C-alpha cells in the first residue's frame, strides 16, 4: 500500500525579514502612538497604584509598609457598611435602572413619527453636567411639603417624603436620580441594536397574530441577547463605582446610610486636612478593581454560550 504524503504546503519559517516584508513594521509604526498613550495613561498609573498601595504616603513623605494598608482597610468598621450600601445601590439600580432603558427603547422603536425628537429627549439628561443635575434634583428632593416632588405626591394624597434626610429613603432617592441621568445612553444603544433586527421577523409574528408583548418577548429579546449581556455587566461595574451621587447629595449620610466604597476611598485620600492616607485609599481601590475584574471574567465565561446562541 503506497504511502500518501500531505499535500499541504510547508509553512514558511518566520524571521524578522519576513515579518518586515509582510507589513509588520508598518503596522507597529501605526500602532506605536496608541500603545504609548495607552501605556502612559493606563498601565503606568495602574503600576504606580500597586506601588503606592504598599506605601504609607501623603505624597510628601513615603515609607514602605508592605500589606499594612490592606490590613488597615479590612479592619475599618466602615468598610462593611460601605460594601453593603454599594451592593444595595447596585441592586436597586439593576431592579429599576436596567429594565427602564429597554422598555423605553422598545416603545420608542414602535413610534412612527417624531422618533428623532424622542431620542433627543431621552438622551438629554446625559448631556446635562452632573453637578447641575444634582443641584436640580436636590431642589426637587426638598423634604418640605412645598417641595417639588412632595407637592406632586400631595396631588394624589401621598407624602410628604423625607427624601434625602431619612436613612431608609436616601439610597432609593439616589438611585432615582442616577437612573434618570444614565438611562439615555443605554436607550440609544438599544435603539441602535433594534435597527439590526430583521423586519421579516416582526412581519411573521404579526401574521401569526402575536401581540406587542409576544413580539417583544419572542423576537426582540432573543435578537438583543448579546447587547443585554454587555449592558448588564457594564451597569454592575458602573454601580459598583458609584461616587458622584452619594458625595454631592448626602456626603455619605444620613448616619452613613449612603457611604459607598468609592466614597470611602475619597475619605481615605482627602478626608484629612493635613494630607490623606493615599496608601490606604489606593489599597481599597485595587481591592475593588480586583473584585470587579474577577466578577467580569466569571460573568463572561458563564454567559459566553448564552450570548452566542
Amino acid at each position: 500500500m503506497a504511502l500518501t504524503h500531505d499535500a499541504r504546503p510547508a509553512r514558511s519559517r518566520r524571521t524578522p525579514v519576513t515579518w518586515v516584508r509582510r507589513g509588520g513594521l508598518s503596522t507597529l509604526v501605526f500602532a506605536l502612538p496608541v500603545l504609548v498613550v495607552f501605556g502612559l495613561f493606563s498601565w503606568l498609573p495602574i503600576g504606580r497604584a500597586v506601588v503606592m498601595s504598599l506605601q504609607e504616603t501623603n505624597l510628601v513623605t513615603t515609607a514602605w509598609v508592605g500589606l499594612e494598608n490592606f490590613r488597615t482597610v479590612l479592619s475599618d468598621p466602615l468598610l462593611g457598611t460601605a460594601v453593603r450600601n454599594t451592593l444595595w445601590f447596585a441592586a436597586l439600580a439593576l431592579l429599576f435602572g436596567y429594565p427602564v432603558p429597554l422598555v423605553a427603547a422598545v416603545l420608542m422603536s414602535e413610534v412612527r413619527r417624531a422618533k428623532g425628537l424622542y431620542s433627543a429627549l431621552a438622551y438629554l439628561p446625559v448631556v446635562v453636567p452632573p453637578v447641575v443635575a444634582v443641584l436640580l434634583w436636590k431642589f426637587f428632593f426638598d423634604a418640605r411639603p412645598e417641595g417639588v416632588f412632595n407637592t406632586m405626591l400631595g396631588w394624589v394624597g401621598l407624602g410628604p417624603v423625607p427624601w434625602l434626610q431619612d436613612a431608609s429613603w436616601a439610597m432609593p432617592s439616589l438611585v432615582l436620580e442616577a437612573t434618570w441621568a444614565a438611562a439615555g445612553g443605554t436607550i440609544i444603544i438599544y435603539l441602535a441594536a433594534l435597527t439590526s433586527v430583521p423586519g421579516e421577523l416582526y412581519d411573521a409574528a404579526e401574521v401569526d397574530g402575536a401581540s406587542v408583548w409576544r413580539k417583544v418577548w419572542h423576537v426582540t429579546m432573543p435578537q438583543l441577547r448579546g447587547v443585554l449581556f454587555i449592558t448588564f455587566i457594564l451597569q454592575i461595574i458602573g454601580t459598583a463605582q458609584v461616587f458622584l451621587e452619594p458625595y454631592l447629595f448626602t456626603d455619605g449620610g444620613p448616619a452613613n446610610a449612603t457611604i459607598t466604597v468609592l466614597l470611602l476611598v475619597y475619605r481615605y485620600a482627602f478626608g484629612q486636612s493635613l494630607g490623606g492616607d493615599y496608601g490606604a485609599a489606593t489599597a481599597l481601590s485595587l481591592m475593588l478593581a480586583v473584585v470587579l475584574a474577577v466578577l467580569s471574567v466569571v460573568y463572561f465565561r458563564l454567559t459566553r454560550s448564552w450570548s452566542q446562541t
Side-chain angles (χ1 to χ4, degrees), residues 13 40 60 63 73 102 114 139 144 195 252:
R13 183 179 178 183
L40 287 177
V60 178
V73 170
L102 178 61
F139 176 75
R144 296 175 300 175
T195 60

Side-chain angles (χ1 to χ4, degrees), residues 256-267:
N256 291 323
T258 58
I259 186 172
T260 59
V261 173
L262 279 192
L263 186 55
L264 186 59
V265 171
Y266 175 84
R267 289 187 177 182

